[in-house]
Amino acid sequence: MGHDVKHWIDGREEAGTGSTQPILNPATGEQIRTLHLGDAATVDRAVQIATVAQREWAKVSLAKRTQIFYRMRELMIAATDEIATVISQEHGKTVGDAKGEIARGIETLEFATSITQDLKGGFSENVSTGVDAHTMRQPLGVVAGITPFNFPAMVPFWMHPIALATGNAFLLKPSERDPSASNIVARLYQEAGLPDGVFQVIHGGKETVDALCTHDDISAVSFVGSTPIAKHVHATASAAGKRVQALGGANNHAVVMPDANIEFAAGQVASGAFGSAGERCMAVPVAVTVGDIHEEFLAAIQAEAEKLVVGPGDDENTDMPPVITQDARDRVIRMTDEAEQAGGRVVVDGRGLTVKGFENGNFVGPTVITDLDPSHATYTDEVFGPLLVVMAVDNFDEALELVNSSPFGNGTAIFTDSGHYARRYQEEVEVGMIGINVPIPTPVGYYSFGGWKDSLFGEHHAHGPEGLSFYTKQKAVTTRWPAQNETVEASMSFPTHD
Ligand code: NAD
C-alpha cells in the first residue's frame, strides 16, 4: 500500500489530530493509501497560519506574483504525467482524460498571469472641480475552496490561481476520495516560489467542511459538488457572514433537432453521456429527440455505446472507466431496474458487466433507456453515471419546455443546422452554459463557469472575470488636494458637483 496522504500546512505535510480513512482504487476495490482527516483544531491551525501569511502576501507586487504563476504553469506542464497517474488511480478515469482536466486547469493559471491587467481599477479626473475618483480591488483575506471527486485537478484550479493572484491566502479541502493531486499541486506552488502558508490543503469530509464554513477568520467559501451539499454550504457559510459561491449538481439535456446530422449528434451525445463514466457536471445524461428522428437516433447511439471498451483507467484501450464507488455503481443499476419496472425500454443494458481481472472494480456498462415518463426519477434526478435517457417530443417548443422544467440549469446543448432554432434556444433556455453543436460546453478559463437554478447558489460564477470579482472587494476613493492657502467654505448640505 502507498504512503499516507496528510494535510499540507505551512509548507509541509502534517498528520493533524483527526482520524484516518482508506483511499480505494475504483478499478480494483483495493485500498491504495490512507487519508488523514482534518478536525476543527487542524482547520484552526491552518487558518491562523494563513492569516499571518496573507498579510505579507497581499503586499507582494503584482510583478512578483505574476512570475510565480508563470513558473507554476511550467511546473504543472512538467508534472502532468505524475498528476494524471495519481488521479487515474484514485478517481478511476483514464489517464488521457485526467491529462485533459489538468490542461483545462492550467487555463486558469494562464488567466492568473494577466492579473496585472485585470486588477486595474478606474480613474476619473475632475469628477467635481479639483476632485478625482479612483477604484481599486483588494483581497478578502483567507478564503476556502471545497471541491468534488470528479475533477480533482481542474475544479480546484477554477479557484486557487485567481484567489492567490488577487492577494488572498487559500485553504483547499479536496474530495476525500481522490485527494493526492492537491498535495502535488501544493508542492509545486512551493517550488514556484509561493510563500508557505499562502496555499494549504486540509483533507477531510463533513467535519472539515463544517469547520471551514463556520470559522470566524475565513472570509469566503467556494464550493463545487452535489446540490444538497451546495445548499448546506451556502446556508451555513452565509449564516456565518461569509461570501459564498456554491455550484451544485446537474441533469444536462441535449436537444437533437430533426435537421441535425444524426450520426454527428449521436457521437457527441455518447461522448457527453459516457465519457468519464458520466461523472462530469457537464455530462449529457438526457437526449431529447424532436420530430420523427427518435428511432434513428436510438440506433445511432446504441451503435456508439456498444463499441465502447470498459476497463481500468490506466489501460490505454479503455474508453470508459469504472465509477467512483460501489454505491455509485449500485445506483446506476437500481435506477435502470426502476426505469424498466415503470415501463421504460432498456435499449443498451449496462447491468451485469464484469471486467476480466477486475471483478471487484466498480464497473457498470453504458446504458440507454427510452419511453420513460418525464416524472420518473431516473429521468428527473442526477444519476451521475453512464446512463443516458432519451426522451421524445414533437417540436422545438415542447423540447424547450421539457428542458426548462428541470430544477437544474447547469449546461445544455442543441444539435441543429438551423440558426433560427439555435438562436431561439440560447435566448429562451433557462440554463447557464449552452453548446450549439457542442456537447460539453465548458467555458474556457478566461470566461466564467456557472449554472442557473439548483446548479448554483450565490451571485458569482466560477473563474474568469466573475472569479476575480468574487475574490476581491472594491474600494472607491475620492481625492481632493487643496492648495495650502486655499479656503473653501464648508457646507452642511449633501455634496453636489460643481
Ligand atoms: P459531494 O457533494 O458529495 O461532495 C463535494 C464536497 O463536499 C467534497 O469535498 C465532500 O467532502 C464534501 N461533503 C460531502 N458530504 C458532505 C456533507 N454532508 N457535509 C459537508 N460537506 C460534505 O459531491 P461529489 O460526489 O464529490 O461530486 C459529484 C457532484 O458534484 C455531482 O452532483 C456533480 O454534478 C457536482 N459537480 C458540479 C459541478 C459544477 O460545476 N456545478 C462541477 C463538478 C461536480
Side-chain angles (χ1 to χ4, degrees), residues 174-236:
S175 169
E176 62 276 39
R177 307 210 183 282
D178 44 18
S180 294
S182 297
N183 282 34
I184 301 175
V185 168
R187 193 192 75 216
L188 297 180
Y189 265 131
Q190 188 177 55
E191 272 177 58
L194 191 73
D196 290 344
V198 176
F199 177 83
Q200 301 182 97
V201 183
I202 308 295
H203 295 289
K206 178 173 172 52
E207 185 185 359
T208 325
V209 169
D210 289 349
L212 290 166
C213 289
T214 53
H215 197 293
D216 283 345
D217 297 328
I218 291 179
S219 306
V221 174
S222 299
F223 173 88
V224 177
S226 60
T227 291
I229 313 298
K231 280 184 179 165
H232 165 72
V233 165
H234 186 255
T236 311

Side-chain angles (χ1 to χ4, degrees), residues 269-270 272-275 277-278 284-287 297-298 301-302 304-306 308 310 320 323 328-329 331-340 344-353 363-370 372 378 383 385-390:
V269 168
F274 308 127
V284 180
V286 183
F297 180 78
L298 278 178
I301 203 89
Q302 179 175 3
E304 291 289 342
E306 286 177 350
L308 295 178
V310 181
M320 206 185 87
V323 292
R329 183 199 55 194
R331 187 175 62 233
V332 174
I333 293 168
R334 177 175 50 78
M335 290 182 96
T336 308
D337 290 344
E338 287 171 4
E340 195 173 37
R345 174 164 47 122
V346 181
V347 179
V348 180
D349 195 344
R351 296 169 291 189
L353 175 126
F363 291 100
V364 56
T367 301
V368 179
I369 301 174
T370 192
L372 208 52
T378 302
V383 180
L387 191 160
L388 175 72
V389 175
V390 185

Side-chain angles (χ1 to χ4, degrees), residues 146-151 155 158 173-176 204-206 209-210 223-227 229-230 232-233 247-250 280-281 382 384 410 449 455:
I146 299 158
T147 54
F149 81 85
N150 65 325
F151 284 111
V155 169
W158 287 355
K173 205 302 285 172
S175 169
E176 62 276 39
K206 178 173 172 52
V209 169
D210 289 349
F223 173 88
V224 177
S226 60
T227 291
I229 313 298
H232 165 72
V233 165
L247 282 67
R280 292 180 181 139
C281 53
E382 182 180 38
F384 220 57
N410 211 42
F449 181 109
S455 296

Side-chain angles (χ1 to χ4, degrees), residues 6-13 186-187 190 199-201:
K6 300 175 184 166
H7 314 293
W8 182 272
I9 298 177
D10 206 12
R12 59 190 164 271
E13 295 203 329
R187 193 192 75 216
Q190 188 177 55
F199 177 83
Q200 301 182 97
V201 183

Side-chain angles (χ1 to χ4, degrees), residues 70 106 261 460 496:
Y70 276 115
I106 289 172
N261 174 337
H460 294 84
T496 54

Side-chain angles (χ1 to χ4, degrees), residues 346-493:
V346 181
V347 179
V348 180
D349 195 344
R351 296 169 291 189
L353 175 126
T354 48
V355 176
K356 203 159 174 286
F358 295 89
E359 286 74 12
N360 293 325
N362 312 323
F363 291 100
V364 56
T367 301
V368 179
I369 301 174
T370 192
D371 299 345
L372 208 52
D373 188 275
S375 64
H376 197 279
T378 302
Y379 163 65
T380 56
D381 292 2
E382 182 180 38
V383 180
F384 220 57
L387 191 160
L388 175 72
V389 175
V390 185
M391 306 292 282
V393 296
D394 287 337
N395 55 48
F396 174 83
D397 289 311
E398 282 182 20
L400 190 63
E401 201 182 313
L402 188 69
V403 178
N404 284 346
S405 67
S406 170
F408 300 103
N410 211 42
T412 187
I414 183 167
F415 289 90
T416 182
D417 245 6
S418 159
H420 170 73
Y421 282 117
R423 191 176 180 285
R424 266 197 70 193
Y425 196 68
Q426 71 178 24
E427 187 173 358
E428 295 177 37
V429 77
E430 290 161 14
V431 173
M433 294 173 283
I434 298 149
I436 297 172
N437 297 314
V438 173
I440 310 174
T442 303
V444 287
Y446 41 94
Y447 281 80
S448 299
F449 181 109
W452 287 16
K453 303 199 281 191
D454 278 2
S455 296
L456 190 145
F457 304 91
E459 284 70 45
H460 294 84
H461 288 195
H463 71 69
E466 297 229 353
L468 191 128
S469 160
F470 180 77
Y471 290 121
T472 55
K473 52 192 171 189
Q474 179 177 289
K475 265 184 183 163
V477 184
T478 307
T479 309
R480 174 183 212 158
W481 295 104
Q484 266 194 325
N485 56 359
E486 189 179 325
T487 52
V488 179
E489 204 177 318
S491 164
M492 294 308 121
S493 306

